[in-house]
Amino acid sequence: MEQNREKISAQGLGLAAISYDSIGILQAFADREHIRFELLSDPDSKVIRSYGILNETVDKNTPSFGIPHPGTYILNERGVVIAKYFEDDFRVRDTAASILLRQFGLAPPPHETIGAKHLQIGVSGGDTPARPNQRITLAVEAQLPERVHVYAPGVVGYIPVSLKLNPSPAFQADPISFPPAKTMRLEAIHETVPVYERQFRLQETITLAGAQQIEPLLDGNRSLTIEGELRYQACDDRECFVPETVPLKWMVHVLPFDRTRVPESLRRKP
Amino acid sequence: MKRDILGRLPDFQLRGVNVRDMRSLAYGLGIALSLVLSYGAVPTGPAVGESVPDFRLQDQKGTYQTLRSILGPKGALLVFYRSADW
């Protein structure tokens, strides 16, 4: 979150995070991690309860009682929910970068630009360090020259554009998110087909595996290599070209699972 | 007050209503079906389109913050998380 604080505030959005921790714990955490946005202390879980997200499955006699089901609300300027990101698995977290990309279409600058046949491809996402169990969003942005289109999913008789990640035990991939296609009428052959023109972006959100599973898959710099491919068939207004497959690559820096705690005296008591 | 896993109060704690009759009616209306379908899903609080409850909480510096004070000109990201310590 801290790494994306400026981007969030550039969107005119406030940012605050609520937990049941004492002010002392939040202070220690903010100092240690250089957090500059508001960490709010809800020690009796009053606000957590008022939102209806108290985790009732936690044993009341343990220090963990009082935690919420974790999630993020996107609010408008009047405090009305416009979207929310909650996960069924309590270990899984959305990263701020992933929410910014999915909610506001804010892709970081591409880390690689590929001049493929008939189109330019920008590969982005995954460039903010992430921790095990976090969700990150990878993106591929294609720029097409004038009069060139590629086929969108649902097309019959042509090869639609597709993004595939090589499967790995290091992550689980959501279905690809495709933008809405434009319908094009091909007068010469009396066909109506779904296409993408000029510019389009495909997004793939993945959930990183837990620490135990992901650690052996990292290289010496703690980088996880994610490979995949973009497949498409480009056409202009006269002809369709041979389908192309472009290899893609993301390097995600995976931080160790954070086990640092505040001194004993500050910790929450049952 | 002890609630069951769906957050319902035990029968005897609902005063002034015949709980059994209400249950039969609920079955008749198919409400039980929606209960079964939502069972197991994590509660996620206010729905899209609803206002979130206001609050007044201290931040890491001890300053009081409210919903109003954290909202930017376009809104806010409000994150609920487990703990900053474990």
Side-chain angles (χ1 to χ4, degrees):
Chain A
M1 281 287 167
E2 180 59 33
Q3 295 146 345
N4 285 285
R5 191 178 51 84
E6 279 172 26
K7 267 193 222 164
I8 293 168
S9 117
Q11 286 293 297
L13 296 165
L15 171 62
I18 300 180
S19 69
Y20 78 158
D21 298 309
S22 65
I23 297 169
I25 287 178
L26 296 180
Q27 216 168 26
F29 178 71
D31 287 350
R32 194 175 79 226
E33 304 289 332
H34 312 289
I35 306 271
R36 284 178 293 170
F37 61 90
E38 271 78 34
L39 300 173
L40 305 181
S41 169
D42 183 22
D44 305 320
S45 307
K46 262 189 213 148
V47 174
I48 292 170
R49 276 175 224 265
S50 77
Y51 277 65
I53 53 172
L54 179 73
N55 188 335
E56 308 251 19
T57 65
V58 175
D59 185 347
K60 285 198 169 81
N61 304 312
T62 62
S64 338
F65 184 73
I67 60 167
H69 292 287
T72 299
Y73 296 97
I74 317 288
L75 307 177
N76 73 6
E77 72 287 354
R78 287 173 293 122
V80 173
V81 181
I82 53 174
K84 51 183 185 175
Y85 293 84
F86 278 77
E87 296 298 334
D88 281 345
D89 183 338
F90 69 94
R91 289 165 305 186
V92 172
R93 299 283 178 286
D94 279 296
T95 52
S98 169
I99 291 178
L100 287 175
L101 183 49
R102 285 183 285 160
Q103 184 67 36
F104 303 102
L106 287 180
H111 58 260
E112 191 186 7
T113 309
I114 304 167
K117 262 194 184 158
H118 319 295
L119 48 89
Q120 282 276 327
I121 300 169
V123 188
S124 66
D127 36 15
T128 314
R131 293 192 192 275
N133 294 316
Q134 277 190 328
R135 281 162 66 74
I136 57 178
T137 302
L138 311 175
V140 176
E141 185 141 346
Q143 304 259 8
L144 287 74
E146 281 289 301
R147 287 196 298 277
V148 172
H149 59 266
V150 299
Y151 291 104
V155 74
V156 179
Y158 300 95
I159 294 185
V161 65
S162 69
L163 170 62
K164 277 204 186 77
L165 299 185
N166 300 351
S168 158
F171 61 83
Q172 272 201 330
D174 285 7
I176 310 281
S177 141
F178 288 97
K182 187 188 160 189
T183 304
M184 183 183 260
R185 175 81 185 155
L186 301 173
E187 288 303 340
I189 49 173
H190 306 291
E191 275 186 333
T192 304
V193 287
V195 299
Y196 295 125
E197 293 179 299
R198 285 185 279 276
Q199 189 177 33
F200 67 93
R201 181 157 65 204
L202 306 185
Q203 285 172 204
E204 171 74 300
T205 299
I206 65 170
T207 307
L208 297 179
Q212 279 192 342
Q213 225 175 340
I214 209 166
E215 286 292 335
L217 302 167
L218 305 179
D219 68 15
N221 301 317
R222 300 197 56 82
S223 279
L224 174 71
T225 305
I226 298 173
E227 287 175 304
E229 58 182 42
L230 182 75
R231 191 164 157 75
Y232 62 91
Q233 185 173 20
C235 305
D236 64 16
D237 40 17
R238 286 175 306 134
E239 59 177 322
C240 279
F241 307 103
V242 183
E244 299 288 336
T245 302
V246 180
L248 305 169
K249 192 169 155 183
W250 291 265
M251 302 283 277
V252 180
H253 186 73
V254 181
L255 299 167
F257 194 74
D258 185 9
R259 288 200 171 79
T260 321
R261 295 201 56 181
V262 295
E264 185 70 46
S265 59
L266 276 177
R267 290 185 197 169
R268 192 177 178 98
K269 310 292 181 296
Chain B
M1 206 176 283
K2 198 171 163 59
R3 289 165 184 262
D4 71 7
I5 197 154
L6 292 174
R8 296 172 305 196
L9 298 168
D11 289 359
F12 65 89
Q13 280 162 339
L14 285 169
R15 282 166 296 181
V17 251
N18 185 329
V19 172
R20 297 236 170 264
D21 282 356
M22 277 182 60
R23 284 242 175 98
S24 324
L25 185 65
Y27 276 107
L29 294 172
I31 290 168
L33 179 69
S34 64
L35 273 178
V36 168
L37 289 176
S38 64
Y39 180 83
V42 165
T44 63
V48 171
E50 286 178 7
S51 297
V52 296
D54 199 3
F55 53 79
R56 188 166 181 274
L57 294 173
Q58 282 175 288
D59 64 19
Q60 67 265 42
K61 292 175 195 141
T63 312
Y64 277 99
Q65 303 286 347
T66 61
L67 179 59
R68 178 72 24 213
S69 72
I70 65 132
L71 283 174
K74 297 270 180 65
L77 265 70
L78 186 60
V79 182
F80 283 87
Y81 64 106
R82 200 180 59 179
S83 169
D85 189 38
W86 54 274

